[in-house]
């Protein structure tokens, strides 16, 4: 029971962790919660589905690669576009304005998919045979292994990008101080756009994983996972990349345990409880630095 | 090299710089002195493009840089070492240097240049992998200067580099500025430490509540009665 829950929790946590990164990265550079990120996640799932449907070839590594490439690129591009049209014009407006703009974009994107693709939930085709392993009364599927490892690989790549590349370092610099970054010759707008692209891409990958895991997707699928990923980001200290990764896994595990040991009705409640408790006790997050106002 | 004409800058309705004109020739070292709130930082921030210009022009080597975004101005070789150092606190000393050379495409060149900087400022070699936020104020100032030099500036603008430093450190900073100038870099120095600035500068301007009230050679201003009274604390 315990091990089984842990496995399920890690699977779910992988999705939350990837998803949470987009919230935290954008907050890092703009001090703003991108509430449209849950729709980027949803669009990723739809892009992945589109690719799954048009791909003629049978299950293969390259096909999987194409699915994720489409989802990540599509989501990243939309996230970048959202920043350009909905947030950048409001960069110096009061902080409430971009928040309202985000909610507007969110509603727009949901309705766009609902009207163009459909309001019904759509099955995620199982092109890739899933095998189950059973041992000590525990079931582990190849899909769970895939989800976990893909998430971990993407997170390692992100870490490498941030630490080793010039663009990644410029992203860190921009998160620390826009003004000084400009004095270094860094085009802060480009870096912000890139942050949306990368964060959006990771959210898109999470969307596809979510579709594969649950077997179907819908235009409003981003709502609950979005709240959970946001909670994961807060749990890890919003703005803190490693915190979001850890927060995602912790929340995934908590959720599964709550569902397993209490009742499945507590599944969605747990995220809110965690969110409230963290905000009251440790608003800076578990890996909390001090919450500081940036200039 | 740098030509500022009738520059005005305002924060909302509050005018901070009013019709300022000044110029720097290539290879010169020029100081701007002024009291708190005179508009010194505003002036060089306007040159750097990080505060918007209300009216007037800023020309650098024939380019109208007041029309450019800040990051492009930096890439013209107009580099600022900001007030209060403003190193990137959560990056290592070496990463800070790398950010200074952000516009440089050649990674090998950046590496070589960073090592040169570590030779010029040995403390930066000792602290290479330390987070910049944990350096002392003096060390941070060294890092901020080295980071500015990493951009291979043509014009280097210092905003109160001696602020908050011990007398020994202040001496050292002015020595470094002199060295940088001797290497052929044009220097614009903004300071409250009027005496030291006027000693080092070939020419200087006095800025008072957003206007230039005096302009002369550094040596002459040191002897000027008004300057003596207001900025050097010498009664006459
Ligand atoms: N961001 C801002 N918003 C509003 N007013 C500002 C802002 N920055 C500066 N000011 C005002 O503009 C004037 C000039 O400020 P500035 O910082 O340029 O002075 P300074 O000469 O650099 O002073 P100091 O020696 O204290 O650094 C001051 O009256 C200041 O209050
Ligand atoms: Mg100042």
């Amino acid at each position: 029971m315990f091990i089984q829950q842990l496995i399920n929790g890690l699977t779910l946590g992988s999705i939350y962790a990837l998803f949470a990164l987009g919230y935290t990265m954008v907050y890092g550079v703009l001090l703003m919660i991108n509430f449209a990120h849950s729709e980027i996640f949803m669009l990723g799932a739809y892009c992945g589905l589109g690719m799954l449907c048009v791909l003629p070839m049978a299950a293969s590594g390259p096909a999987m690669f194409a699915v994720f490439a489409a989802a990540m690129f599509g989501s990243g591009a939309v996230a970048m576009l959202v920043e350009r049209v909905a947030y950048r014009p409001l960069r110096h407006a009061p902080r409430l304005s971009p928040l309202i703009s985000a909610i507007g974009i969110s509603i727009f994107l949901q309705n766009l998919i609902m009207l163009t693709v459909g309001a019904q939930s759509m099955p995620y085709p199982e092109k890739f045979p899933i095998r189950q392993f059973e041992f000590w009364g525990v079931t582990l599927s190849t899909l769970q292994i895939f989800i976990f490892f893909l998430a971990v690989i993407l997170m390692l790549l992100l870490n490498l990008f941030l630490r080793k590349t010039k663009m990644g370092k410029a992203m860190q610099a921009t998160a620390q101080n826009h003004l000084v970054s400009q004095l270094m010759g860094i085009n802060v707008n480009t870096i912000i756009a890139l942050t949306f692209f990368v964060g959006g891409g990771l959210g898109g990958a999470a969307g596809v994983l979510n579709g594969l895991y649950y077997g179907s997707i819908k235009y409003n699928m981003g709502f609950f996972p979005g709240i959970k990923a946001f909670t994961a980001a807060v749990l890890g200290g919003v703005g803190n990349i490693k915190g979001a990764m850890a927060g995602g896994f912790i929340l995934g595990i908590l959720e599964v345990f709550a569902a397993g040991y209490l009742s499945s009705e507590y599944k969605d409640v747990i995220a809110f409880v965690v969110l409230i408790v963290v905000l009251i006790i440790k608003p800076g997050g578990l890996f909390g630095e001090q919450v500081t106002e940036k200039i | 090299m740098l030509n500022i004409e009738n520059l005005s800058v305002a924060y909302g309705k509050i005018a901070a710089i009013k019709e300022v004109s000044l110029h720097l020739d290539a290879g010169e070292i020029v100081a701007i002195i002024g009291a708190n709130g005179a508009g010194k930082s505003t002036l060089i921030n306007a040159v750097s493009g990080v505060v918007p210009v209300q009216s007037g022009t800023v020309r650098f080597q024939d380019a109208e840089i007041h029309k450019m975004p800040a990051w492009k101005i930096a890439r013209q070789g107009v580099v600022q070492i900001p007030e209060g150092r403003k190193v990137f606190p959560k990056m290592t000393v070496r990463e800070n240097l790398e950010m200074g050379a952000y516009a440089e495409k050649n990674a090998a060149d950046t590496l070589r240049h960073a090592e040169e900087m570590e030779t010029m400022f040995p403390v930066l070699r000792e602290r290479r992998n330390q987070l910049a936020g944990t350096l002392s104020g003096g060390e941070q100032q060294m890092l901020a200067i080295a980071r500015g030099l990493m951009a291979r500036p043509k014009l280097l603008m210092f905003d109160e580099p001696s602020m908050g430093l011990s007398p020994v450190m202040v001496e050292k900073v002015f020595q470094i500025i002199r060295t940088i100038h001797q290497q052929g870099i044009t220097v614009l120095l903004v300071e409250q430490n009027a005496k030291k600035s006027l000693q080092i500068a070939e020419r200087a301007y006095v800025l008072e509540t957003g206007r230039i009230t005096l302009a002369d050679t550094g040596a002459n201003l040191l002897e000027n009665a008004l300057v003596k009274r207001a900025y050097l604390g010498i009664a006459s």
Side-chain angles (χ1 to χ4, degrees):
Chain A
M1 176 78 168
F2 180 82
I3 304 226
Q4 182 70 63
Q5 307 281 25
L6 198 63
I7 289 172
N8 296 348
L10 282 173
T11 310
L12 199 57
S14 306
I15 296 173
Y16 292 162
L18 278 184
F19 195 176
L21 283 167
Y23 285 106
T24 233
M25 288 172 74
V26 164
Y27 187 86
V29 295
L30 280 184
L31 294 185
M32 171 208 148
I33 304 294
N34 176 15
F35 277 112
H37 189 50
S38 49
E39 269 51 66
I40 300 299
F41 167 87
M42 177 269 291
L43 287 175
Y46 276 88
C47 288
L49 178 64
M51 194 46 110
L52 272 174
C53 295
V54 299
L55 274 184
M57 47 186 148
S60 66
M64 216 26 156
F65 182 81
V67 168
F68 278 92
M72 293 178 75
F73 191 82
S75 296
V78 175
M80 232 163 79
L81 189 69
V82 168
E83 189 273 329
R84 186 68 190 85
V85 303
Y87 303 151
R88 197 181 299 179
L90 300 172
R91 185 89 48 85
H92 301 288
R95 291 178 73 162
L96 202 56
S97 312
L99 216 65
I100 292 167
S101 180
I103 293 168
I105 287 289
S106 196
I107 295 169
F108 171 78
L109 291 175
Q110 280 197 28
N111 282 280
L112 183 74
I113 293 301
M114 188 176 79
L115 294 172
T116 57
V117 185
Q120 307 300 317
S121 71
M122 307 188 64
Y124 233 67
E126 218 181 84
K127 281 208 174 167
F128 300 87
I130 296 168
R131 282 195 294 139
Q132 312 261 5
F133 303 106
E134 301 220 7
F135 48 91
W136 315 312
V138 174
T139 331
L140 174 66
S141 73
T142 45
L143 180 61
Q144 287 181 307
I145 297 174
F146 174 76
I147 290 174
F148 180 76
F149 279 101
L150 185 72
V152 169
I153 288 168
L154 288 175
M155 287 187 262
L156 289 175
L157 286 177
L158 174 68
N159 201 36
L160 218 58
F161 167 73
L162 288 172
R163 299 178 61 95
K164 297 290 175 205
T165 69
K166 206 152 96 170
M167 280 274 176
K169 288 178 193 173
M171 203 178 274
Q172 294 183 51
T174 301
Q176 292 174 45
N177 196 321
H178 283 201
L179 196 145
V180 179
S181 297
Q182 293 180 57
L183 294 178
M184 306 289 117
I186 296 172
N187 183 346
V188 164
N189 280 335
T190 305
I191 297 297
I192 290 171
L194 181 71
T195 306
F196 274 82
F197 184 77
V198 174
L202 293 171
V208 176
L209 292 178
N210 197 77
L212 289 170
Y213 196 45
Y214 291 106
S216 73
I217 62 176
K218 204 175 170 186
Y219 71 95
N220 63 359
M221 64 182 277
F223 184 71
F224 272 114
I227 287 171
K228 288 166 189 171
F230 171 65
T231 304
V234 173
L235 186 61
V238 67
N240 181 336
I241 304 258
K242 293 207 171 106
M245 298 177 181
F249 284 112
I250 293 172
L251 198 76
I253 290 168
L254 276 180
E255 181 178 321
V256 170
F257 274 83
Y261 289 106
L262 299 171
S263 142
S264 63
E265 274 142 32
Y266 284 95
K267 187 168 87 66
D268 291 332
V269 178
I270 190 78
F272 292 102
V273 173
V274 169
L275 182 60
I276 292 164
V277 170
V278 172
L279 286 177
I280 292 171
I281 298 178
K282 224 162 178 291
L286 288 184
F287 311 93
E289 299 160 52
Q290 228 71 28
V291 189
T292 45
E293 276 295 323
K294 274 189 220 168
I295 343 132
Chain B
M1 183 180 224
L2 182 76
N3 259 297
I4 301 179
E5 274 171 35
N6 299 322
L7 181 74
S8 295
V9 178
Y11 297 103
K13 283 189 177 140
I14 305 159
I17 291 290
K18 303 159 196 159
E19 302 273 313
V20 164
S21 297
L22 62 83
H23 69 94
L24 265 83
D25 295 331
E28 263 194 314
I29 174 165
V30 171
I32 297 175
I33 60 172
N36 285 114
K40 306 182 296 297
S41 300
T42 304
L43 180 59
I44 65 174
N45 281 334
V47 174
S48 282
V50 290
V51 302
V53 166
Q54 191 183 32
S55 62
T57 58
V58 183
R59 246 187 290 277
F60 178 74
Q61 294 181 332
D62 301 325
E64 300 208 306
I65 60 173
H66 61 281
K67 292 178 182 162
M68 293 182 186
W71 62 274
K72 268 194 188 152
I73 295 175
R75 290 178 180 208
Q76 306 288 310
V78 178
V79 173
Q80 178 191 151
I81 295 168
E83 183 176 87
R85 354 244 186 251
K86 306 265 169 55
V87 295
F88 296 112
K90 291 186 231 161
M91 295 176 109
T92 65
V93 167
R94 178 48 81 80
E95 286 170 337
N96 268 271
L97 292 181
E98 288 170 8
M99 285 298 106
Y102 185 75
E104 171 60 57
K105 296 272 182 299
N106 182 338
D109 185 72
T110 300
L111 185 67
R112 210 173 319 117
H113 200 187
E115 275 160 7
E116 279 169 36
M117 285 301 122
E118 289 176 346
T119 307
M120 187 170 169
F121 304 97
V123 66
L124 301 184
R125 177 167 291 144
E126 289 162 32
R127 303 296 165 92
R128 186 184 289 168
N129 297 314
Q130 191 173 324
L131 290 185
T134 64
L135 296 178
S136 76
E139 289 162 350
Q140 288 190 14
Q141 188 62 62
M142 297 299 129
L143 177 57
I145 295 174
R147 184 181 65 178
L149 289 169
M150 286 297 289
R152 301 199 186 279
K154 295 177 186 146
L155 168 64
L156 195 53
M157 305 186 289
F158 291 87
D159 193 348
E160 303 206 29
S162 75
M163 189 170 76
L165 299 182
S166 70
V168 178
M169 217 48 215
V170 171
E171 206 57 54
K172 193 167 170 191
V173 164
F174 276 93
Q175 192 51 52
I176 289 166
I177 295 172
R178 197 170 277 132
T179 310
I180 290 170
H181 174 235
Q182 280 160 2
Q183 288 171 357
I185 296 172
T186 310
V187 173
L188 180 61
L189 173 63
V190 156
E191 261 293 349
Q192 293 210 35
N193 190 331
K195 185 166 177 221
K196 284 225 153 351
S197 318
L198 293 177
Q199 283 170 346
I200 198 177
E202 290 157 357
R203 290 188 302 112
Y205 296 89
V206 176
L207 191 65
E208 270 175 39
T209 57
R211 280 183 212 283
I212 293 201
T213 51
L214 281 171
D216 207 334
T217 62
N220 284 349
L221 285 176
L222 272 172
E223 298 304 322
N224 183 297
L226 283 170
V227 172
K228 273 185 175 172
R229 201 165 47 235
Y231 299 101
L232 301 173
I234 304 168
S236 53

